[in-house]
């Protein structure tokens, strides 16, 4: 049995104060009037200093990935004949609160930034090496979650696990890294649990071959998204596993040979994302971009890394689409399209055999 402790709100704040000397603590935080509309709130990952700042009753609108891959990041500064890497603004290690699906998404971020093409991304790695994770227990489900369908409802990548209560929290040790911080507090028999079943169950599509993939690309199921989707990119910005970015050189007005290189979060849903020099664009229509995004998660990432879909079933894309386009329903339509494709293939085989 793992060691567990019972802390009051004030004791949690004391714990945070002790941790903050070595760790910058990031967690979902409610931003009042910061949402899509004037009086809406938003919930995004921010540094917190007290237990009360953590929003645990609702799913964060934006995902945990922004801690390790900021929306806007200066990579290096350059002059005419040299460059200098941008320093981290904070030398402390990172303590990041996230649900099981959020923490599991880090595996896919690691694949893209550390295991892709034999080169490691230095700027991601230097933050990743500082990261420690705190599991936020899911005691209630959120609309659109289907983590159990992808086996991302369970994780062992965390150092601590927290079960939130109005008057404090149960804190469970998953290893001894933080044991000394918790020894002053009352022990408990409470054991943090994982979700066992979602209200929404999704049969995630499996594409058997490149030939089947190409037939699925040509299927008419994608046509409806040309009119429904507005290509705002919100689904990819809030996604736990999307990694698209672009780099931009900012030059100084008094000397165009001196400046800095930025990495900015981007989206394959934007028309400009795949536009090359000379104006050539690979995916000119909205349906082409939507299809590319979906099939990358369903097929291409797995074809590259052989670790399954590029999805953790967090449900943020469904929850935040202004056009109410359901990712999970798109997956159902892919399954239906695959049935049609395979039925036609079987008919062709039978005709050929005759």
């Amino acid at each position: 049995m793992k060691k567990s402790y019972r802390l009051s709100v004030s004791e949690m704040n004391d714990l945070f104060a002790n941790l903050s000397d070595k760790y910058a603590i990031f967690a979902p935080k409610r931003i009042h009037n910061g949402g899509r509309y004037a009086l809406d709130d938003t919930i995004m990952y921010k540094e917190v200093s007290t237990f009360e700042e953590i929003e645990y009753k609702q799913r964060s609108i934006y995902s945990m990935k922004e801690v390790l891959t900021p929306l806007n990041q200066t990579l290096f500064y350059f002059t005419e004949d040299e460059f200098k890497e941008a320093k981290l603004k904070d030398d402390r290690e990172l303590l990041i609160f996230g649900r099981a699906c959020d923490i599991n998404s880090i595996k896919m971020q690691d694949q893209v930034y550390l295991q892709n093409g034999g080169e490691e991304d230095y700027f991601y790695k230097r933050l990743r090496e500082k990261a420690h994770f705190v599991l936020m227990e899911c005691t209630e489900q959120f609309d659109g979650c289907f983590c159990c369908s992808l086996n991302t409802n369970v994780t062992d990548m965390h150092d601590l696990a927290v079960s939130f209560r109005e008057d404090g929290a149960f804190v469970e040790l998953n290893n001894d890294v933080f044991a000394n911080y918790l020894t002053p507090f009352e022990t408990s028999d409470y054991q943090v649990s994982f979700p066992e079943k979602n209200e929404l169950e999704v049969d995630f599509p499996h594409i058997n071959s490149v030939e089947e993939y190409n037939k699925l690309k040509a299927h008419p199921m994608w046509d409806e998204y040309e009119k429904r989707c507005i290509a705002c990119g919100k689904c990819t910005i809030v996604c736990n596993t999307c990694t698209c970015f672009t780099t931009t050189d900012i030059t100084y007005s008094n000397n165009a040979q001196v400046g800095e290189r930025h990495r900015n979060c981007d989206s394959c849903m934007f028309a400009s994302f795949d536009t090359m020099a000379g104006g050539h664009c690979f995916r000119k229509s909205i349906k082409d971009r939507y299809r590319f995004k979906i099939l990358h998660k369903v097929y291409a990432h797995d074809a590259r890394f052989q670790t399954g879909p590029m999805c953790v079933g967090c449900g943020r894309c469904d929850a935040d689409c202004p056009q109410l386009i359901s990712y999970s329903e798109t997956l159902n339509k892919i399954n239906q399209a695959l049935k049609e494709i395979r039925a036609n293939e079987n008919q062709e085989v039978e005709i050929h055999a005759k």
Side-chain angles (χ1 to χ4, degrees):
M1 180 181 290
K2 297 176 182 178
K3 291 183 179 179
S4 182
Y5 300 83
R6 180 70 170 93
L7 282 73
S8 66
V9 172
S10 62
E11 287 173 330
M12 286 296 294
N13 287 334
D14 291 341
L15 175 63
F16 276 32
N18 291 333
L19 288 166
S20 63
D21 289 337
K22 184 176 180 180
Y23 300 94
I25 304 171
F26 285 86
K29 183 176 180 179
R30 181 174 293 275
I31 310 299
H32 293 291
N33 298 334
R36 182 183 297 165
Y37 303 110
L39 300 180
D40 280 359
D41 294 346
T42 193
I43 304 169
M44 61 195 308
Y45 272 78
K46 294 287 186 181
E47 186 175 353
V48 298
S49 57
T50 65
F51 176 71
E52 296 96 326
E53 292 178 83
I54 300 177
E55 176 55 69
Y56 64 89
K57 294 181 180 179
Q58 291 182 243
R59 172 180 51 207
S60 66
I61 294 172
Y62 292 91
S63 69
M64 192 174 72
K65 71 181 181 184
E66 293 181 21
V67 181
L68 299 180
T69 54
L71 293 178
N72 183 285
Q73 184 179 22
T74 300
L75 301 182
F76 57 81
Y77 302 91
F78 59 86
T79 63
E80 293 92 335
D81 54 6
E82 63 180 0
F83 71 91
K84 183 178 182 180
E85 294 158 354
K87 295 181 179 179
L88 292 174
K89 295 180 180 180
D90 195 330
D91 291 330
R92 291 177 297 172
E93 295 186 35
L94 305 172
L95 190 60
I96 309 171
F97 282 71
R99 303 182 188 278
C101 59
D102 300 324
I103 296 174
N104 276 311
S105 74
I106 298 300
K107 297 176 184 177
M108 297 165 206
Q109 298 284 335
D110 287 350
Q111 287 171 336
V112 171
Y113 286 103
L114 301 178
Q115 303 162 21
N116 195 12
E119 295 293 334
E120 295 180 332
D121 186 293
Y122 168 80
F123 300 97
Y124 176 82
K125 185 179 180 181
R126 67 179 182 176
L127 287 173
R128 179 68 177 88
E129 288 178 340
K130 290 175 173 286
H132 302 265
F133 301 105
V134 182
L135 173 69
M136 299 172 65
E137 184 183 38
C138 288
T139 55
E140 296 182 8
Q141 294 194 34
F142 303 110
D143 289 342
C145 293
F146 57 95
C147 58
C148 295
S149 297
L150 290 163
N151 298 320
T152 54
N153 53 313
V154 176
T155 182
D156 61 357
M157 291 174 61
H158 55 291
D159 295 301
L160 297 169
V162 175
S163 181
F164 292 84
R165 298 293 187 272
E166 293 289 345
D167 60 348
F170 292 100
V171 181
E172 182 182 275
L173 275 173
N174 196 43
N175 58 51
D176 292 332
V177 174
F178 294 91
N180 291 337
Y181 289 97
L182 291 168
T183 50
F185 302 111
E186 176 189 353
T187 58
S188 168
D189 293 330
Y190 187 85
Q191 297 291 291
V192 171
S193 62
F194 296 97
E196 295 181 356
K197 186 177 181 180
N198 302 129
E199 293 180 10
L200 174 64
E201 296 181 358
V202 175
D203 181 13
F204 215 90
H206 179 75
I207 300 172
N208 293 324
S209 64
V210 174
E211 291 75 21
E212 195 168 76
Y213 168 77
N214 287 330
K215 289 179 180 179
L216 181 60
K217 282 175 61 179
H219 194 278
M221 65 159 284
W222 306 105
D223 293 343
E224 70 170 282
Y225 299 106
E226 183 64 27
K227 294 182 178 179
R228 290 187 63 195
C229 179
I230 59 174
C232 67
K234 183 71 181 291
C235 56
T236 58
I237 301 302
V238 303
C239 176
N240 255 319
T241 63
C242 280
T243 57
C244 288
F245 64 84
T246 190
T247 55
T248 306
D249 287 345
I250 309 297
T251 56
Y252 302 150
S253 58
N254 60 340
N255 185 350
Q257 303 302 312
V258 178
E260 53 195 77
R261 174 161 294 182
H262 286 194
R263 174 153 70 192
N264 305 302
C265 178
D266 208 336
S267 171
C268 60
M269 290 304 302
F270 297 156
S272 60
F273 183 73
D274 63 351
T275 300
M276 303 174 63
H280 178 72
C281 179
F282 290 102
R283 294 175 284 275
K284 296 181 180 180
S285 67
I286 291 177
K287 74 171 185 179
D288 287 345
R289 297 196 289 275
Y290 184 78
R291 179 184 62 198
F292 173 82
K293 182 200 76 168
I294 296 295
L295 292 184
H296 184 77
K297 294 187 176 298
V298 171
Y299 176 75
H301 185 86
D302 182 41
R304 175 70 180 86
F305 296 104
Q306 270 124 59
T307 52
M310 192 183 187
C311 177
V312 292
C314 70
R316 286 183 175 89
C317 52
D318 276 22
D320 294 313
C321 177
Q323 294 296 92
L324 305 180
I325 296 173
S326 170
Y327 171 60
S328 53
E329 184 57 31
T330 301
L331 299 179
N332 291 335
K333 291 179 180 180
I334 289 176
N335 279 324
Q336 183 58 42
L338 288 172
K339 288 180 181 178
E340 295 173 12
I341 290 168
R342 290 162 186 167
N344 290 335
E345 288 176 348
N346 290 335
Q347 288 177 0
E348 291 174 3
V349 170
E350 290 176 4
I351 292 172
H352 181 73
K354 291 178 181 179

